[in-house]
């Protein structure tokens, strides 16, 4: 996905810290114990406090902080579905520019897709992503709600992603079939820190 925050607080951090602490106290699993089977379903989540919500190079909160959270349901086959949300101000800020009364201050995203690895370091990810902005809008205002299809090819820490809109894009009229290309890299240089670039 896109670089959305400067630092995050993983939901599982406390559990991981507790398990590492237990292992350090001598409660580690014996070397000859059978490996724990990989579960069919996993539920990764995240909560973040951001100094600014940046999406595709543009601030979504007028350079103000954002509270963000998301959860994903992953199956071992590669299928996944998820939801993510954040406060925003770019739509309500349009009211001050004469666009009429716009009350939307929340973004709620929903997505589903399929991802898999091949040839060791290569990966492919594709799916649908919907951006939903609940609120009131003046008559004639183009809906900012946007649905995209995407496909991403990755190699190691680098990824090239192509997104294509099936609706008007983010409130701009006559923008159906717009596209966006994103080249990014995510380097996890410690177990708790990741450097993102796009």
């Amino acid at each position: 996905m896109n670089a959305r925050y400067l630092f995050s607080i993983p939901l599982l951090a406390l559990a991981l810290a507790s398990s590492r602490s237990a292992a350090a106290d001598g409660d580690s699993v014996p070397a000859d114990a059978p490996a724990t089977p990989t579960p069919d379903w996993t539920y990764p989540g995240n909560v973040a406090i951001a100094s600014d919500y940046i999406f595709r190079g543009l601030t979504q909160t007028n350079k103000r902080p954002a509270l963000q959270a998301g959860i994903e349901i992953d199956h071992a086959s590669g299928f996944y579905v998820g939801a993510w949300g954040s406060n925003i101000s770019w739509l309500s800020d349009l009211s001050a520019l004469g666009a009429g009364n716009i009350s939307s201050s929340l973004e709620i995203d929903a997505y589903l897709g399929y991802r898999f690895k091949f040839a060791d370091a290569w990966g492919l990810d594709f799916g649908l992503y919907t951006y939903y902005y609940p609120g009131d809008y003046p008559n004639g205002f183009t809906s900012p709600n946007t649905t995209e299809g995407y496909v991403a090819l990755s190699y190691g820490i680098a990824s090239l992603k192509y997104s294509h809109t099936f609706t008007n894009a983010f409130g701009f009229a006559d923008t159906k079939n717009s596209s966006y290309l994103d080249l990014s890299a995510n380097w996890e240089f410690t177990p708790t820190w990741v450097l993102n670039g796009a």
Side-chain angles (χ1 to χ4, degrees), residues 72-90:
E72 189 171 284
I73 302 171
D74 297 336
H75 190 260
S77 65
F79 286 102
Y80 60 90
V81 61
W84 185 88
S86 176
N87 61 289
I88 59 162
S89 69
W90 67 272

Side-chain angles (χ1 to χ4, degrees), residues 126-152:
F126 57 90
L128 291 172
Y129 203 103
T130 293
Y131 306 83
Y132 177 62
Y133 303 92
D136 296 322
Y137 300 94
N139 290 334
F141 189 86
T142 302
S143 171
N145 301 332
T146 303
T147 298
E148 297 179 332
Y150 60 88
V151 59

Side-chain angles (χ1 to χ4, degrees), residues 21-123:
S21 218
D25 291 340
D27 296 331
S28 58
V29 177
D32 57 349
T36 304
T38 303
D40 287 338
W41 296 95
T42 54
Y43 310 91
N46 60 79
V47 175
I49 300 170
S51 60
D52 186 6
Y53 170 15
I54 304 289
F55 176 62
R56 295 181 179 172
L58 301 174
T59 179
Q60 307 295 293
T61 52
N62 201 11
K63 301 180 181 178
R64 298 187 186 99
L67 176 62
Q68 305 168 337
I71 188 164
E72 189 171 284
I73 302 171
D74 297 336
H75 190 260
S77 65
F79 286 102
Y80 60 90
V81 61
W84 185 88
S86 176
N87 61 289
I88 59 162
S89 69
W90 67 272
L91 282 164
S92 58
D93 289 344
L94 292 175
S95 296
L97 301 176
N101 184 27
I102 301 173
S103 68
S104 181
S105 59
L106 181 65
E107 175 187 331
I108 302 172
D109 302 348
Y111 59 93
L112 60 88
Y114 181 74
R115 62 173 74 98
F116 62 95
K117 293 282 189 182
F118 63 96
D120 294 329
W122 291 90

